[in-house]
PDB file of all heavy atoms in Angstrom:
ATOM      1  N   SER A   4      28.571   6.046   5.696  1.00  0.00           N
ATOM      2  CA  SER A   4      28.146   7.404   5.366  1.00  0.00           C
ATOM      3  C   SER A   4      29.232   8.164   4.597  1.00  0.00           C
ATOM      4  O   SER A   4      28.954   9.160   3.958  1.00  0.00           O
ATOM      5  CB  SER A   4      27.760   8.171   6.621  1.00  0.00           C
ATOM      6  OG  SER A   4      28.878   8.300   7.472  1.00  0.00           O
ATOM      7  N   GLU A   5      30.465   7.685   4.648  1.00  0.00           N
ATOM      8  CA  GLU A   5      31.571   8.334   3.946  1.00  0.00           C
ATOM      9  C   GLU A   5      31.760   7.792   2.533  1.00  0.00           C
ATOM     10  O   GLU A   5      32.493   8.382   1.744  1.00  0.00           O
ATOM     11  CB  GLU A   5      32.863   8.142   4.740  1.00  0.00           C
ATOM     12  CG  GLU A   5      32.801   8.765   6.120  1.00  0.00           C
ATOM     13  CD  GLU A   5      33.984   8.362   6.987  1.00  0.00           C
ATOM     14  OE1 GLU A   5      34.972   7.827   6.447  1.00  0.00           O
ATOM     15  OE2 GLU A   5      33.908   8.575   8.201  1.00  0.00           O
ATOM     16  N   LEU A   6      31.126   6.665   2.215  1.00  0.00           N
ATOM     17  CA  LEU A   6      31.311   6.051   0.899  1.00  0.00           C
ATOM     18  C   LEU A   6      30.542   6.813  -0.164  1.00  0.00           C
ATOM     19  O   LEU A   6      29.436   7.304   0.092  1.00  0.00           O
ATOM     20  CB  LEU A   6      30.839   4.597   0.926  1.00  0.00           C
ATOM     21  CG  LEU A   6      31.544   3.681   1.920  1.00  0.00           C
ATOM     22  CD1 LEU A   6      30.912   2.298   1.890  1.00  0.00           C
ATOM     23  CD2 LEU A   6      33.029   3.594   1.612  1.00  0.00           C
ATOM     24  N   PRO A   7      31.088   6.919  -1.394  1.00  0.00           N
ATOM     25  CA  PRO A   7      30.367   7.566  -2.486  1.00  0.00           C
ATOM     26  C   PRO A   7      29.072   6.822  -2.799  1.00  0.00           C
ATOM     27  O   PRO A   7      28.978   5.611  -2.591  1.00  0.00           O
ATOM     28  CB  PRO A   7      31.332   7.468  -3.672  1.00  0.00           C
ATOM     29  CG  PRO A   7      32.662   7.233  -3.073  1.00  0.00           C
ATOM     30  CD  PRO A   7      32.416   6.472  -1.800  1.00  0.00           C
ATOM     31  N   ARG A   8      28.065   7.539  -3.299  1.00  0.00           N
ATOM     32  CA  ARG A   8      26.778   6.944  -3.659  1.00  0.00           C
ATOM     33  C   ARG A   8      26.720   6.758  -5.171  1.00  0.00           C
ATOM     34  O   ARG A   8      27.277   7.562  -5.921  1.00  0.00           O
ATOM     35  CB  ARG A   8      25.644   7.842  -3.188  1.00  0.00           C
ATOM     36  CG  ARG A   8      25.576   7.900  -1.673  1.00  0.00           C
ATOM     37  CD  ARG A   8      24.600   8.907  -1.162  1.00  0.00           C
ATOM     38  NE  ARG A   8      23.305   8.793  -1.843  1.00  0.00           N
ATOM     39  CZ  ARG A   8      22.284   9.586  -1.619  1.00  0.00           C
ATOM     40  NH1 ARG A   8      22.393  10.561  -0.749  1.00  0.00           N
ATOM     41  NH2 ARG A   8      21.156   9.427  -2.259  1.00  0.00           N
ATOM     42  N   TYR A   9      26.020   5.696  -5.613  1.00  0.00           N
ATOM     43  CA  TYR A   9      25.889   5.386  -7.037  1.00  0.00           C
ATOM     44  C   TYR A   9      24.445   5.067  -7.368  1.00  0.00           C
ATOM     45  O   TYR A   9      23.700   4.569  -6.533  1.00  0.00           O
ATOM     46  CB  TYR A   9      26.743   4.162  -7.403  1.00  0.00           C
ATOM     47  CG  TYR A   9      28.224   4.433  -7.332  1.00  0.00           C
ATOM     48  CD1 TYR A   9      28.914   4.328  -6.132  1.00  0.00           C
ATOM     49  CD2 TYR A   9      28.916   4.809  -8.467  1.00  0.00           C
ATOM     50  CE1 TYR A   9      30.263   4.580  -6.069  1.00  0.00           C
ATOM     51  CE2 TYR A   9      30.277   5.057  -8.413  1.00  0.00           C
ATOM     52  CZ  TYR A   9      30.950   4.940  -7.212  1.00  0.00           C
ATOM     53  OH  TYR A   9      32.294   5.186  -7.150  1.00  0.00           O
ATOM     54  N   ARG A  10      24.036   5.312  -8.617  1.00  0.00           N
ATOM     55  CA  ARG A  10      22.701   4.958  -9.096  1.00  0.00           C
ATOM     56  C   ARG A  10      22.872   3.998 -10.266  1.00  0.00           C
ATOM     57  O   ARG A  10      23.684   4.232 -11.154  1.00  0.00           O
ATOM     58  CB  ARG A  10      21.941   6.209  -9.548  1.00  0.00           C
ATOM     59  CG  ARG A  10      20.579   5.871 -10.140  1.00  0.00           C
ATOM     60  CD  ARG A  10      19.728   7.093 -10.359  1.00  0.00           C
ATOM     61  NE  ARG A  10      19.267   7.536  -9.047  1.00  0.00           N
ATOM     62  CZ  ARG A  10      19.283   8.796  -8.630  1.00  0.00           C
ATOM     63  NH1 ARG A  10      19.725   9.747  -9.403  1.00  0.00           N
ATOM     64  NH2 ARG A  10      18.863   9.104  -7.426  1.00  0.00           N
ATOM     65  N   SER A  11      22.102   2.935 -10.293  1.00  0.00           N
ATOM     66  CA  SER A  11      22.196   1.926 -11.347  1.00  0.00           C
ATOM     67  C   SER A  11      21.577   2.429 -12.646  1.00  0.00           C
ATOM     68  O   SER A  11      20.545   3.091 -12.648  1.00  0.00           O
ATOM     69  CB  SER A  11      21.478   0.646 -10.910  1.00  0.00           C
ATOM     70  OG  SER A  11      21.512  -0.292 -11.949  1.00  0.00           O
ATOM     71  N   HIS A  12      22.211   2.090 -13.748  1.00  0.00           N
ATOM     72  CA  HIS A  12      21.688   2.391 -15.068  1.00  0.00           C
ATOM     73  C   HIS A  12      21.878   1.199 -16.007  1.00  0.00           C
ATOM     74  O   HIS A  12      21.923   1.332 -17.210  1.00  0.00           O
ATOM     75  CB  HIS A  12      22.354   3.657 -15.637  1.00  0.00           C
ATOM     76  CG  HIS A  12      23.853   3.556 -15.671  1.00  0.00           C
ATOM     77  ND1 HIS A  12      24.619   3.934 -14.599  1.00  0.00           N
ATOM     78  CD2 HIS A  12      24.697   3.109 -16.609  1.00  0.00           C
ATOM     79  CE1 HIS A  12      25.895   3.721 -14.895  1.00  0.00           C
ATOM     80  NE2 HIS A  12      25.966   3.219 -16.105  1.00  0.00           N
ATOM     81  N   LYS A  13      21.987   0.013 -15.435  1.00  0.00           N
ATOM     82  CA  LYS A  13      22.199  -1.215 -16.184  1.00  0.00           C
ATOM     83  C   LYS A  13      20.876  -1.774 -16.701  1.00  0.00           C
ATOM     84  O   LYS A  13      19.832  -1.604 -16.082  1.00  0.00           O
ATOM     85  CB  LYS A  13      22.827  -2.289 -15.300  1.00  0.00           C
ATOM     86  CG  LYS A  13      24.178  -1.960 -14.784  1.00  0.00           C
ATOM     87  CD  LYS A  13      24.651  -3.102 -13.930  1.00  0.00           C
ATOM     88  CE  LYS A  13      24.909  -2.573 -12.550  1.00  0.00           C
ATOM     89  NZ  LYS A  13      25.290  -3.568 -11.611  1.00  0.00           N
ATOM     90  N   GLU A  14      20.961  -2.478 -17.840  1.00  0.00           N
ATOM     91  CA  GLU A  14      19.815  -3.235 -18.325  1.00  0.00           C
ATOM     92  C   GLU A  14      20.114  -4.704 -18.063  1.00  0.00           C
ATOM     93  O   GLU A  14      21.204  -5.183 -18.386  1.00  0.00           O
ATOM     94  CB  GLU A  14      19.607  -3.005 -19.818  1.00  0.00           C
ATOM     95  CG  GLU A  14      18.370  -3.675 -20.350  1.00  0.00           C
ATOM     96  CD  GLU A  14      18.090  -3.325 -21.796  1.00  0.00           C
ATOM     97  OE1 GLU A  14      18.249  -2.143 -22.164  1.00  0.00           O
ATOM     98  OE2 GLU A  14      17.726  -4.243 -22.554  1.00  0.00           O
ATOM     99  N   VAL A  15      19.192  -5.404 -17.434  1.00  0.00           N
ATOM    100  CA  VAL A  15      19.365  -6.815 -17.101  1.00  0.00           C
ATOM    101  C   VAL A  15      18.153  -7.607 -17.570  1.00  0.00           C
ATOM    102  O   VAL A  15      17.110  -7.039 -17.881  1.00  0.00           O
ATOM    103  CB  VAL A  15      19.549  -7.023 -15.576  1.00  0.00           C
ATOM    104  CG1 VAL A  15      20.779  -6.304 -15.065  1.00  0.00           C
ATOM    105  CG2 VAL A  15      18.313  -6.583 -14.805  1.00  0.00           C
ATOM    106  N   ARG A  16      18.300  -8.902 -17.598  1.00  0.00           N
ATOM    107  CA  ARG A  16      17.169  -9.799 -17.801  1.00  0.00           C
ATOM    108  C   ARG A  16      16.879 -10.390 -16.430  1.00  0.00           C
ATOM    109  O   ARG A  16      17.811 -10.737 -15.695  1.00  0.00           O
ATOM    110  CB  ARG A  16      17.498 -10.895 -18.800  1.00  0.00           C
ATOM    111  CG  ARG A  16      17.707 -10.340 -20.189  1.00  0.00           C
ATOM    112  CD  ARG A  16      17.618 -11.456 -21.208  1.00  0.00           C
ATOM    113  NE  ARG A  16      17.617 -10.913 -22.542  1.00  0.00           N
ATOM    114  CZ  ARG A  16      16.533 -10.589 -23.226  1.00  0.00           C
ATOM    115  NH1 ARG A  16      15.347 -10.753 -22.697  1.00  0.00           N
ATOM    116  NH2 ARG A  16      16.614 -10.102 -24.439  1.00  0.00           N
ATOM    117  N   ALA A  17      15.609 -10.495 -16.075  1.00  0.00           N
ATOM    118  CA  ALA A  17      15.279 -10.980 -14.734  1.00  0.00           C
ATOM    119  C   ALA A  17      13.870 -11.533 -14.703  1.00  0.00           C
ATOM    120  O   ALA A  17      13.038 -11.217 -15.553  1.00  0.00           O
ATOM    121  CB  ALA A  17      15.415  -9.851 -13.726  1.00  0.00           C
ATOM    122  N   VAL A  18      13.626 -12.367 -13.704  1.00  0.00           N
ATOM    123  CA  VAL A  18      12.288 -12.912 -13.487  1.00  0.00           C
ATOM    124  C   VAL A  18      12.085 -13.086 -11.986  1.00  0.00           C
ATOM    125  O   VAL A  18      13.010 -13.476 -11.261  1.00  0.00           O
ATOM    126  CB  VAL A  18      12.090 -14.248 -14.249  1.00  0.00           C
ATOM    127  CG1 VAL A  18      12.983 -15.346 -13.699  1.00  0.00           C
ATOM    128  CG2 VAL A  18      10.643 -14.678 -14.235  1.00  0.00           C
ATOM    129  N   GLN A  19      10.876 -12.754 -11.540  1.00  0.00           N
ATOM    130  CA  GLN A  19      10.563 -12.965 -10.122  1.00  0.00           C
ATOM    131  C   GLN A  19      10.346 -14.452  -9.886  1.00  0.00           C
ATOM    132  O   GLN A  19       9.751 -15.150 -10.712  1.00  0.00           O
ATOM    133  CB  GLN A  19       9.336 -12.163  -9.705  1.00  0.00           C
ATOM    134  CG  GLN A  19       9.135 -12.202  -8.207  1.00  0.00           C
ATOM    135  CD  GLN A  19       8.018 -11.298  -7.726  1.00  0.00           C
ATOM    136  OE1 GLN A  19       7.158 -10.892  -8.490  1.00  0.00           O
ATOM    137  NE2 GLN A  19       8.035 -10.996  -6.445  1.00  0.00           N
ATOM    138  N   ILE A  20      10.819 -14.930  -8.760  1.00  0.00           N
ATOM    139  CA  ILE A  20      10.775 -16.355  -8.430  1.00  0.00           C
ATOM    140  C   ILE A  20       9.542 -16.681  -7.591  1.00  0.00           C
ATOM    141  O   ILE A  20       9.307 -16.052  -6.558  1.00  0.00           O
ATOM    142  CB  ILE A  20      12.048 -16.763  -7.651  1.00  0.00           C
ATOM    143  CG1 ILE A  20      13.285 -16.502  -8.510  1.00  0.00           C
ATOM    144  CG2 ILE A  20      11.963 -18.213  -7.205  1.00  0.00           C
ATOM    145  CD1 ILE A  20      14.594 -16.642  -7.734  1.00  0.00           C
ATOM    146  N   GLU A  21       8.777 -17.672  -8.059  1.00  0.00           N
ATOM    147  CA  GLU A  21       7.632 -18.155  -7.276  1.00  0.00           C
ATOM    148  C   GLU A  21       8.074 -19.263  -6.326  1.00  0.00           C
ATOM    149  O   GLU A  21       7.685 -19.290  -5.167  1.00  0.00           O
ATOM    150  CB  GLU A  21       6.538 -18.691  -8.199  1.00  0.00           C
ATOM    151  CG  GLU A  21       5.328 -19.193  -7.424  1.00  0.00           C
ATOM    152  CD  GLU A  21       4.203 -19.640  -8.332  1.00  0.00           C
ATOM    153  OE1 GLU A  21       3.946 -18.970  -9.331  1.00  0.00           O
ATOM    154  OE2 GLU A  21       3.593 -20.680  -8.032  1.00  0.00           O
ATOM    155  N   LYS A  22       8.891 -20.199  -6.842  1.00  0.00           N
ATOM    156  CA  LYS A  22       9.362 -21.335  -6.034  1.00  0.00           C
ATOM    157  C   LYS A  22      10.794 -21.669  -6.391  1.00  0.00           C
ATOM    158  O   LYS A  22      11.213 -21.522  -7.541  1.00  0.00           O
ATOM    159  CB  LYS A  22       8.535 -22.592  -6.326  1.00  0.00           C
ATOM    160  CG  LYS A  22       7.110 -22.561  -5.911  1.00  0.00           C
ATOM    161  CD  LYS A  22       6.456 -23.895  -6.275  1.00  0.00           C
ATOM    162  CE  LYS A  22       4.947 -23.795  -6.217  1.00  0.00           C
ATOM    163  NZ  LYS A  22       4.313 -25.002  -6.752  1.00  0.00           N
ATOM    164  N   VAL A  23      11.532 -22.176  -5.421  1.00  0.00           N
ATOM    165  CA  VAL A  23      12.861 -22.735  -5.617  1.00  0.00           C
ATOM    166  C   VAL A  23      12.763 -24.178  -5.152  1.00  0.00           C
ATOM    167  O   VAL A  23      12.546 -24.443  -3.969  1.00  0.00           O
ATOM    168  CB  VAL A  23      13.929 -21.975  -4.799  1.00  0.00           C
ATOM    169  CG1 VAL A  23      15.296 -22.609  -4.988  1.00  0.00           C
ATOM    170  CG2 VAL A  23      13.945 -20.496  -5.167  1.00  0.00           C
ATOM    171  N   ILE A  24      12.884 -25.123  -6.097  1.00  0.00           N
ATOM    172  CA  ILE A  24      12.725 -26.540  -5.778  1.00  0.00           C
ATOM    173  C   ILE A  24      14.090 -27.227  -5.872  1.00  0.00           C
ATOM    174  O   ILE A  24      14.654 -27.349  -6.962  1.00  0.00           O
ATOM    175  CB  ILE A  24      11.733 -27.212  -6.757  1.00  0.00           C
ATOM    176  CG1 ILE A  24      10.385 -26.459  -6.717  1.00  0.00           C
ATOM    177  CG2 ILE A  24      11.565 -28.685  -6.424  1.00  0.00           C
ATOM    178  CD1 ILE A  24       9.431 -26.857  -7.836  1.00  0.00           C
ATOM    179  N   PRO A  25      14.655 -27.645  -4.739  1.00  0.00           N
ATOM    180  CA  PRO A  25      15.965 -28.304  -4.756  1.00  0.00           C
ATOM    181  C   PRO A  25      15.958 -29.555  -5.633  1.00  0.00           C
ATOM    182  O   PRO A  25      14.969 -30.283  -5.693  1.00  0.00           O
ATOM    183  CB  PRO A  25      16.203 -28.669  -3.289  1.00  0.00           C
ATOM    184  CG  PRO A  25      15.332 -27.730  -2.520  1.00  0.00           C
ATOM    185  CD  PRO A  25      14.115 -27.521  -3.385  1.00  0.00           C
ATOM    186  N   THR A  26      17.081 -29.796  -6.329  1.00  0.00           N
ATOM    187  CA  THR A  26      17.252 -30.983  -7.154  1.00  0.00           C
ATOM    188  C   THR A  26      18.477 -31.751  -6.682  1.00  0.00           C
ATOM    189  O   THR A  26      19.257 -31.251  -5.873  1.00  0.00           O
ATOM    190  CB  THR A  26      17.413 -30.604  -8.642  1.00  0.00           C
ATOM    191  OG1 THR A  26      18.564 -29.761  -8.785  1.00  0.00           O
ATOM    192  CG2 THR A  26      16.184 -29.889  -9.183  1.00  0.00           C
ATOM    193  N   ALA A  27      18.643 -32.956  -7.199  1.00  0.00           N
ATOM    194  CA  ALA A  27      19.789 -33.785  -6.842  1.00  0.00           C
ATOM    195  C   ALA A  27      21.087 -33.051  -7.167  1.00  0.00           C
ATOM    196  O   ALA A  27      21.175 -32.337  -8.168  1.00  0.00           O
ATOM    197  CB  ALA A  27      19.730 -35.104  -7.604  1.00  0.00           C
ATOM    198  N   GLY A  28      22.061 -33.188  -6.321  1.00  0.00           N
ATOM    199  CA  GLY A  28      23.357 -32.586  -6.556  1.00  0.00           C
ATOM    200  C   GLY A  28      23.490 -31.150  -6.087  1.00  0.00           C
ATOM    201  O   GLY A  28      24.494 -30.503  -6.336  1.00  0.00           O
ATOM    202  N   GLY A  29      22.464 -30.613  -5.433  1.00  0.00           N
ATOM    203  CA  GLY A  29      22.559 -29.275  -4.876  1.00  0.00           C
ATOM    204  C   GLY A  29      22.044 -28.149  -5.748  1.00  0.00           C
ATOM    205  O   GLY A  29      22.016 -27.009  -5.325  1.00  0.00           O
ATOM    206  N   GLY A  30      21.632 -28.456  -6.972  1.00  0.00           N
ATOM    207  CA  GLY A  30      21.048 -27.440  -7.841  1.00  0.00           C
ATOM    208  C   GLY A  30      19.597 -27.207  -7.466  1.00  0.00           C
ATOM    209  O   GLY A  30      19.130 -27.643  -6.410  1.00  0.00           O
ATOM    210  N   ALA A  31      18.869 -26.528  -8.343  1.00  0.00           N
ATOM    211  CA  ALA A  31      17.451 -26.276  -8.069  1.00  0.00           C
ATOM    212  C   ALA A  31      16.707 -25.967  -9.361  1.00  0.00           C
ATOM    213  O   ALA A  31      17.300 -25.556 -10.360  1.00  0.00           O
ATOM    214  CB  ALA A  31      17.278 -25.120  -7.098  1.00  0.00           C
ATOM    215  N   GLU A  32      15.400 -26.167  -9.300  1.00  0.00           N
ATOM    216  CA  GLU A  32      14.522 -25.724 -10.375  1.00  0.00           C
ATOM    217  C   GLU A  32      13.912 -24.406  -9.896  1.00  0.00           C
ATOM    218  O   GLU A  32      13.385 -24.320  -8.793  1.00  0.00           O
ATOM    219  CB  GLU A  32      13.428 -26.745 -10.649  1.00  0.00           C
ATOM    220  CG  GLU A  32      12.484 -26.298 -11.760  1.00  0.00           C
ATOM    221  CD  GLU A  32      11.429 -27.334 -12.099  1.00  0.00           C
ATOM    222  OE1 GLU A  32      10.688 -27.735 -11.171  1.00  0.00           O
ATOM    223  OE2 GLU A  32      11.365 -27.729 -13.258  1.00  0.00           O
ATOM    224  N   ILE A  33      14.003 -23.391 -10.743  1.00  0.00           N
ATOM    225  CA  ILE A  33      13.419 -22.087 -10.447  1.00  0.00           C
ATOM    226  C   ILE A  33      12.082 -22.013 -11.179  1.00  0.00           C
ATOM    227  O   ILE A  33      12.019 -22.196 -12.396  1.00  0.00           O
ATOM    228  CB  ILE A  33      14.329 -20.935 -10.928  1.00  0.00           C
ATOM    229  CG1 ILE A  33      15.711 -21.015 -10.280  1.00  0.00           C
ATOM    230  CG2 ILE A  33      13.657 -19.583 -10.712  1.00  0.00           C
ATOM    231  CD1 ILE A  33      15.765 -20.717  -8.815  1.00  0.00           C
ATOM    232  N   VAL A  34      11.016 -21.748 -10.446  1.00  0.00           N
ATOM    233  CA  VAL A  34       9.685 -21.602 -11.026  1.00  0.00           C
ATOM    234  C   VAL A  34       9.341 -20.107 -11.000  1.00  0.00           C
ATOM    235  O   VAL A  34       9.190 -19.528  -9.926  1.00  0.00           O
ATOM    236  CB  VAL A  34       8.624 -22.409 -10.242  1.00  0.00           C
ATOM    237  CG1 VAL A  34       7.248 -22.222 -10.858  1.00  0.00           C
ATOM    238  CG2 VAL A  34       9.006 -23.885 -10.188  1.00  0.00           C
ATOM    239  N   PRO A  35       9.244 -19.472 -12.192  1.00  0.00           N
ATOM    240  CA  PRO A  35       8.936 -18.049 -12.247  1.00  0.00           C
ATOM    241  C   PRO A  35       7.496 -17.734 -11.853  1.00  0.00           C
ATOM    242  O   PRO A  35       6.592 -18.550 -12.039  1.00  0.00           O
ATOM    243  CB  PRO A  35       9.159 -17.686 -13.720  1.00  0.00           C
ATOM    244  CG  PRO A  35      10.030 -18.772 -14.258  1.00  0.00           C
ATOM    245  CD  PRO A  35       9.622 -20.000 -13.501  1.00  0.00           C
TER     246      PRO A  35
END
């Protein structure tokens, strides 16, 4: 409650994720 408050004003690129499918080696395929 003592910390200053901030509002975001950044522009980003993003996509909502439908599925995260694990791949060999610990990575994953992201299905938007």
Side-chain angles (χ1 to χ4, degrees):
S4 63
E5 298 170 14
L6 300 177
R8 293 172 48 182
Y9 291 85
R10 176 170 286 134
S11 177
H12 56 272
K13 297 180 240 177
E14 185 174 318
V15 299
R16 293 197 171 269
V18 66
Q19 189 174 19
I20 299 170
E21 180 176 319
K22 293 180 195 172
V23 178
I24 304 168
T26 60
E32 179 177 57
I33 302 290
V34 179

